[in-house]
Amino acid sequence: MKAKAQLHGLPSYKPGKPIEEVKRELGLTKVVKLASNENPYGASPKAAKAIQDAASQTAIYPDGYAADIREKVASKIGVDENQLIFGNGSDEVIQFLCRAFLSPDTNTVTADPTFSQYKLNATIEGAEVREVPSIDGVHDLDAMLEEIDDNTRIVWVCNPNNPSGTYVNETAFLNFLERVPSHVLVVSDEAYYEYVTVDDYPETLPLLKKYDNLMILRTFSKAYGLAALRIGYGVANPSLISLIDPVRPPFNNTTFSHAAAAAALEDDAFIQTCVEKNTEALKQFEEFCDKHQLKYYPSQTNFILIDFNTPGDEIFDYLLKKGFIVRSGQALGFPTCVRITAGTEEENKELFAVLEEMLLTKVVGQ
Ligand SMILES: Cc1ncc(COP(=O)(O)O)c(C=O)c1O
């Protein structure tokens, strides 16, 4: 058998460790997962009810056109229904884009470090990946522009960026978009959109009127708390959507993800409360870092990247033994950092106590 050459030696995605596995391995009764930027408050109760109401519909394929959720998202964000494409998580929309646009004679431009799935999917398609070092966690858009040539097909702006949590502001993004050649697709990956609180974050949806080469990605996995159901979407002009839609498998969401996402969309109060709590939690993380003179990257997301000046794996191991699953920065391009999802107020308090003890007793990194 001969698989694509680029698949040989390609590592599989390593997700955050599952809670039950950590409990079993370490004999812990309580484990808190702060590793994958999920919503610690879960989802709107309306979403759970919608799943229960749909429970009898397992034998019938889901609506491949996603008509109901399509109509609800379109009306919520003020676009036409034919401007949307739904994926099994926004991960799958990234896959569609790479499959549709990239091949061995093309290249794609990303920031570095950024969300790993752009590079992975581009590599699978055999495209060259041009990674442009970020400046203090923020995309260097000028340097990214310089990497674009006739063979560039996609440029990725992860905004806010995972794993740094930092963002590209409106002026910088508009300036960039204006200068990207029209043959290059600009992807604005806005997985953490709902958590953003700054005023100068780019509002990209209105830009679709001017730019045919713009695609916006959003997801129900983060603030909406539906990561388990796998539903995210892309927004672009209808011609771009119809170009990539044939790549999409016929029934790529489930009846339950459609129902839950539609119900979750109606609960603005839930999202608002979660965002307020997240903003407060981030403030507490920043205060903790300031108190202990730890560098952190200012975050517009529901996670924070903290530099412990110690190999991230060591901090990860220490916290794991104490019942907290976080992400070591070593695999994320920030070797002395740890990325921590903001938990509930109680979880964060417990985490701060554990971290404080670790820092004061200097048990790690000595
Ligand atoms: C920047 C970014 N984009 C996309 C995704 C994928 O999210 P999902 O496939 O759950 O919609 C994530 C998940 O962590 C992310 O951080």
Side-chain angles (χ1 to χ4, degrees), residues 217-250:
L217 303 184
R218 302 257 174 101
T219 182
F220 286 96
S221 297
K222 305 300 177 184
Y224 284 98
L226 299 177
L229 293 178
R230 314 305 302 124
I231 177 163
Y233 59 92
V235 198
N237 280 302
S239 53
L240 178 51
I241 296 293
S242 50
L243 183 71
I244 61 172
D245 200 44
V247 167
R248 186 179 58 81

Side-chain angles (χ1 to χ4, degrees), residues 89-91 94 115 118 158 162 189 191-192 219 221-222 230-231:
S90 50
D91 273 341
I94 294 168
F115 186 52
Y118 316 141
C158 188
N162 179 5
D189 182 348
Y192 301 93
T219 182
S221 297
K222 305 300 177 184
R230 314 305 302 124
I231 177 163

Side-chain angles (χ1 to χ4, degrees), residues 20-278:
E20 290 311 316
E21 188 185 316
V22 175
K23 278 187 182 167
R24 218 175 27 249
E25 277 178 9
L26 297 175
L28 296 167
T29 48
K30 184 180 167 192
V31 169
V32 179
K33 182 167 179 255
L34 302 175
S36 304
N37 312 333
E38 294 128 335
N39 184 340
Y41 302 101
S44 162
K46 294 183 183 182
K49 167 133 196 338
I51 298 168
Q52 277 156 15
D53 291 349
S56 62
Q57 296 173 41
T58 56
I60 309 294
Y61 278 111
D63 172 10
Y65 183 65
D68 185 47
I69 183 66
R70 181 180 295 274
E71 191 235 303
K72 292 202 162 86
V73 170
S75 116
K76 179 93 180 172
I77 67 173
V79 299
D80 292 337
E81 292 178 22
N82 60 3
Q83 288 187 264
L84 296 168
I85 184 164
F86 289 86
N88 196 260
S90 50
D91 273 341
E92 197 187 27
V93 186
I94 294 168
Q95 194 183 333
F96 298 160
L97 293 172
C98 290
R99 197 155 173 216
F101 282 91
L102 302 179
S103 57
D105 50 352
T106 65
N107 70 69
T108 187
V109 177
T110 75
D112 180 34
T114 192
F115 186 52
S116 59
Q117 294 304 295
Y118 316 141
K119 181 177 180 178
L120 177 78
N121 283 290
T123 303
I124 291 168
E125 298 307 330
E128 179 197 347
V129 182
R130 299 185 174 176
E131 298 175 273
V132 178
S134 298
I135 301 173
D136 242 347
V138 183
H139 289 34
D140 183 349
L141 294 180
D142 287 337
M144 287 171 74
L145 269 172
E146 277 174 26
E147 289 298 321
I148 292 175
D149 63 18
D150 287 349
N151 296 325
T152 306
R153 295 291 176 269
I154 309 179
V155 55
W156 306 87
V157 181
C158 188
N159 201 17
N161 187 41
N162 179 5
S164 57
T166 52
Y167 74 105
V168 166
N169 69 30
E170 182 164 33
T171 311
F173 186 74
L174 288 179
N175 196 297
F176 176 74
L177 201 53
E178 194 56 36
R179 290 191 292 155
V180 172
S182 59
H183 73 273
V184 178
L185 174 66
V186 177
V187 178
S188 179
D189 182 348
E190 304 177 0
Y192 301 93
Y193 173 81
E194 291 79 10
Y195 288 114
V196 172
T197 55
V198 284
D199 291 336
D200 62 347
Y201 177 79
E203 229 11 287
T204 48
L205 288 169
L207 300 173
L208 292 172
K209 290 205 167 62
K210 185 167 172 201
Y211 297 97
D212 281 338
N213 60 333
L214 175 64
M215 157 84 58
I216 299 157
L217 303 184
R218 302 257 174 101
T219 182
F220 286 96
S221 297
K222 305 300 177 184
Y224 284 98
L226 299 177
L229 293 178
R230 314 305 302 124
I231 177 163
Y233 59 92
V235 198
N237 280 302
S239 53
L240 178 51
I241 296 293
S242 50
L243 183 71
I244 61 172
D245 200 44
V247 167
R248 186 179 58 81
F251 305 109
N252 62 318
N253 298 131
T254 64
T255 302
F256 312 105
S257 53
H258 288 160
L265 261 192
E266 283 170 12
D267 199 345
D268 287 337
F270 175 82
I271 297 295
Q272 199 186 327
T273 308
C274 293
V275 171
E276 281 166 12
K277 287 181 176 165
N278 181 66

